[in-house]
Amino acid sequence: MQKMRSVFKSLKGLLLWIFITLVLALLINNRHHKTGTFNWTTPLWADQVGYYVYLPGFFIYDFDTKGFPEKIEEKTGFGFSLDQQKNKVITRYTCGIAILQAPFFLIIHEIAGFIGQPQDGFSGIYHKVPDLAALFYCIIGLFFLRKFLLFYFKLWVAWFTIFVVFFGTNLYYFAVDCTGMSHVYSFALFACVAWLSKIIQADGLKKRILYVAAWGLVFALIVLIRPTNILIFPFLFCLDCRSFEDFRQRVKRFFVSGDVLVLLVSFLLVFLPQFLYWKYASGSYITDSYQGFGFTNWKSPKILELWFSPNNGLFLYNPVFLAAVVGLILMIRSKLLNGWIILVTFLLATYIYASWFVFSFGCSYGSRNFVEYGVLFSLPLGYIFMQLKKISRFKQSLVIGLFVALTVLNVKMIYSYSKCFQGGTWDFNEYLSFIVKIKKYHESMEMDDNERISPKDEYSKTMYIPASKLYYLNYKKAVVRAKVKLEDANSQASLVVSVETPDSSYYWNAFRLKDRVEDNQINKNVTVEGEFWLPVPLPKEATIVTYIWNINKETLSLSKLDFYLE
């Protein structure tokens, strides 16, 4: 009977993780299935492709720039460069993410050949590599975070904490949206190394050297991916320290038992591919690939901006982290040393990240440097939930309801966010637009029976909106949705938004429709969407114009245009 219960419990746990994996896969697919290829909404763009380029460079092109697709740097947002004169593939990003993505790249590479797609490493199905990798590593991270939390809390607290960390912080954004960025991968490694840290603390642990070696390899990968993540080492080393004598014994064991030697060997093994790449790219085994970028604000760190600026401020976008700080205070009041360890780590990380030359770290959702630190903050969050049993049911409901509301707010803002903050450092109006996203103007133009644009037509039917109709509205951007059917896989047709005055063209922008249409959606009706930031305020005599520009005089269909102002 006991064995049957054990089998049933294991099966139930397996089914739960399968369900979580399927839900996450659906979220990722929903976010990316209409983004197409070679545009800023895909996971192979800018920084993300800078991490990824090692894979096609190594497995397909042998780092020979002559074999790469034409203008591939431009098509992927200049996340890397090809030095044709020296025949070098140049990326400033380290290869840690590429190492983790490699199994998924190889799988996708074989599938591309099997289904007849070009095996060029960049087109079509290759844009799914970061999605698959992020799915896998996010699940791994949540799995090990649960195992780590169970050292401290009951099962329900562990699960609720995981729910809050995933849905209430920008972990959701980087696991579902920006799947090629480093943070979901670092989160998985943080969770794994935290669990390993608890394991190797146990006295009399069998095969301890194997766990220490695994700990060393994971920690080395953490540092390779983001060198500033070395800040987690004091937390891992001091975790659950009970006294100064306990700390002294850990230091002694670290050096006497050979742990430090294992760690050094782990770093050498993990960093070896990077050293070889740097030698190939620069002629030196160790180089500063971030020249021109750096920590230039040591004397005047932008701490308040890092925490509270509408431009990616940590606490404004992820208020769950602010709740975690409250949990830290409660832990410290209860004389739990882990509270001090996490607080010091957080403050040190704050100072370093606030010293970066751009405190917002560019296009991201919230302060992306703290995504992986959700593992640390899970302890004070769990501590808050453990205290609920000490208060009345009514207050328990209020606290739980507050955290649920914070997670709902976070997800709502993520789906209102367009990857880059367009306002200034303290532009709260722009920030509030993510919370209260109102379509301030909408106009629709229906076509008769899928209006066919033939090779003789350079332009589709055009929508005209006089600016004089909009004078009372406070808006910043136009969102245009076009329901189209492309017939050419190499279509160059573009969706255009322009602002025309009687004397000149005041504004013009466009994007290629095919960049938002998957290859398997050719000859199918699909809806593509584009955002256009307008040069407001517009002249009163101006007219906003939107249409399809049939550049190559091909055949396609347009059935509907929807124009919104936000």
Side-chain angles (χ1 to χ4, degrees):
M1 181 62 70
Q2 187 66 31
K3 188 175 180 180
M4 286 288 292
R5 288 178 180 174
S6 178
V7 171
F8 178 75
K9 185 177 180 180
S10 299
L11 181 60
K12 185 169 68 172
L14 177 61
L15 291 174
L16 178 59
W17 282 109
I18 291 174
F19 173 76
I20 292 171
T21 302
L22 290 175
V23 170
L24 182 56
L26 288 172
L27 290 172
I28 294 173
N29 180 68
N30 179 66
R31 193 64 166 168
H32 289 157
H33 79 283
K34 290 184 179 180
T35 54
T37 57
F38 300 131
N39 66 81
W40 65 280
T41 65
T42 70
L44 291 185
W45 185 262
D47 293 14
Q48 299 176 86
V49 80
Y51 291 112
Y52 168 87
V53 71
Y54 290 95
L55 296 171
F58 179 77
F59 289 108
I60 300 177
Y61 302 109
D62 197 25
F63 286 100
D64 182 354
T65 61
K66 298 180 181 63
F68 277 72
E70 185 178 359
K71 294 184 178 180
I72 193 61
E73 315 108 287
E74 177 184 344
K75 291 179 178 179
T76 54
F78 296 102
F80 65 95
S81 62
L82 300 177
D83 188 336
Q84 300 289 356
Q85 186 175 0
K86 296 181 180 179
N87 194 27
K88 305 289 185 184
V89 181
I90 305 298
T91 177
R92 67 173 178 265
Y93 308 95
T94 55
C95 65
I97 299 301
I99 291 173
L100 295 177
Q101 290 180 342
F104 305 95
F105 174 84
L106 294 173
I107 291 170
I108 291 294
H109 186 61
E110 291 302 317
I111 292 175
F114 181 74
I115 63 177
Q117 286 196 12
Q119 290 182 294
D120 60 5
F122 294 97
S123 63
I125 196 173
Y126 287 96
H127 288 252
K128 300 299 181 184
V129 171
D131 290 349
L132 286 175
L135 170 64
F136 176 81
Y137 289 108
C138 185
I139 294 299
I140 290 295
L142 297 177
F143 177 81
F144 280 106
L145 178 59
R146 173 184 173 276
K147 291 176 72 70
F148 174 65
L149 290 174
L150 287 176
F151 282 109
Y152 301 94
F153 309 119
K154 294 180 179 179
L155 182 61
W156 77 267
V157 173
W159 276 117
F160 191 59
T161 303
I162 288 171
F163 171 85
V164 170
V165 168
F166 180 73
F167 287 102
T169 73
N170 44 0
L171 172 61
Y172 182 100
Y173 181 80
F174 288 97
V176 172
D177 197 312
C178 286
T179 54
M181 293 296 283
S182 67
H183 306 288
V184 68
Y185 305 87
S186 291
F187 167 79
L189 297 176
F190 268 46
C192 183
V193 82
W195 173 74
L196 285 169
S197 295
K198 288 293 297 181
I199 295 295
I200 62 179
Q201 285 176 16
D203 294 328
L205 177 64
K206 295 180 179 180
K207 299 181 180 179
R208 183 177 183 277
I209 190 64
L210 295 178
Y211 285 100
V212 172
W215 187 96
L217 291 171
V218 174
F219 182 68
L221 262 174
I222 286 173
V223 178
L224 175 62
I225 289 172
R226 287 178 65 82
T228 52
N229 280 343
I230 199 171
L231 293 172
I232 196 181
F233 181 77
F235 165 79
L236 299 172
F237 192 84
C238 299
L239 184 65
D240 294 338
C241 261
R242 294 178 294 275
S243 63
F244 178 76
E245 177 60 25
D246 188 11
F247 175 76
R248 192 181 70 83
Q249 289 297 326
R250 291 190 185 188
V251 174
K252 181 179 178 181
R253 184 168 65 176
F254 183 69
F255 287 98
V256 173
S257 67
D259 288 357
V260 66
L261 180 61
V262 173
L263 185 59
L264 290 174
V265 172
S266 299
F267 263 74
L268 179 60
L269 289 174
V270 169
F271 272 74
L272 182 59
Q274 191 63 53
F275 293 150
L276 294 175
Y277 170 76
W278 281 335
K279 178 66 175 176
Y280 149 84
S282 69
S284 175
Y285 285 108
I286 299 178
T287 188
D288 179 12
S289 60
Y290 274 80
Q291 289 182 5
F293 306 85
F295 298 94
T296 57
N297 294 319
W298 294 115
K299 295 182 180 179
S300 55
K302 309 297 182 183
I303 293 175
L304 286 180
E305 290 87 344
L306 185 77
W307 284 350
F308 297 109
S309 171
N311 187 2
N312 292 334
L314 173 68
F315 295 131
L316 287 187
Y317 285 82
N318 308 131
V320 161
F321 280 125
L322 194 58
V325 172
V326 174
L328 283 178
I329 296 171
L330 295 176
M331 291 176 70
I332 291 171
R333 286 183 58 186
S334 299
K335 298 181 180 180
L336 296 175
L337 189 57
N338 282 343
W340 282 109
I341 296 169
I342 298 171
L343 179 61
V344 170
T345 303
F346 171 62
L347 294 177
L348 182 59
T350 291
Y351 172 69
I352 290 175
Y353 295 136
S355 300
W356 186 248
F357 78 104
V358 178
F359 74 87
S360 64
F361 282 78
C363 291
S364 65
Y365 174 80
S367 189
R368 60 188 176 91
N369 310 285
F370 291 97
V371 174
E372 40 268 70
Y373 287 85
V375 174
L376 280 65
F377 279 111
S378 67
L379 289 181
L381 287 172
Y383 186 77
I384 290 175
F385 304 143
M386 279 295 289
Q387 305 311 304
L388 293 179
K389 61 184 179 181
K390 300 179 181 179
I391 59 178
S392 67
R393 288 186 177 274
F394 176 72
K395 291 181 179 179
Q396 288 177 14
S397 300
L398 287 180
V399 173
I400 292 175
L402 173 63
F403 276 97
V404 171
L406 292 179
T407 60
V408 171
L409 173 64
N410 180 65
V411 173
K412 181 184 186 304
M413 288 180 65
I414 286 172
Y415 282 95
S416 302
Y417 196 73
S418 59
K419 289 185 183 286
C420 288
F421 188 79
Q422 302 294 331
T425 300
W426 298 107
D427 188 347
F428 281 97
N429 287 330
E430 177 66 16
Y431 167 77
L432 290 174
S433 72
F434 303 138
I435 300 175
V436 185
K437 187 175 181 181
I438 302 173
K439 297 285 191 300
K440 298 181 178 179
Y441 180 87
H442 175 221
E443 188 161 325
S444 182
M445 184 166 69
E446 297 273 358
M447 309 298 175
D448 297 330
D449 299 324
N450 281 357
E451 180 169 293
R452 199 168 181 81
I453 304 172
S454 70
K456 67 180 182 179
D457 300 318
E458 185 172 356
Y459 306 103
S460 71
K461 186 181 289 185
T462 303
M463 180 185 291
Y464 299 93
I465 301 105
S468 58
K469 292 174 56 178
L470 314 171
Y471 70 92
Y472 60 92
L473 296 174
N474 180 23
Y475 59 91
K476 290 188 175 182
K477 65 181 179 181
V479 177
V480 182
R481 293 180 185 146
K483 190 171 184 180
V484 298
K485 181 168 71 172
L486 302 182
E487 298 182 19
D488 184 354
N490 297 311
S491 172
Q492 297 299 312
S494 298
L495 177 64
V496 177
V497 169
S498 66
V499 178
E500 308 294 336
T501 65
D503 301 323
S504 64
S505 178
Y506 190 74
Y507 165 88
W508 191 95
N509 203 351
F511 69 85
R512 192 169 75 110
L513 295 171
K514 179 59 181 65
D515 290 341
R516 310 289 171 88
V517 177
E518 300 281 359
D519 291 341
N520 60 7
Q521 294 176 324
I522 298 298
N523 290 310
K524 295 181 181 178
N525 283 312
V526 294
T527 300
V528 297
E529 179 179 301
E531 292 185 350
F532 301 85
W533 292 86
L534 300 175
V536 292
L538 299 181
K540 289 184 179 179
E541 68 276 13
T543 301
I544 303 176
V545 182
T546 183
Y547 55 90
I548 301 296
W549 180 20
N550 189 13
I551 302 173
N552 285 353
K553 302 291 187 68
E554 61 197 67
T555 301
L556 65 149
S557 299
L558 172 66
S559 56
K560 188 177 183 182
L561 269 177
D562 280 299
F563 179 89
Y564 301 88
L565 287 177
E566 296 178 0

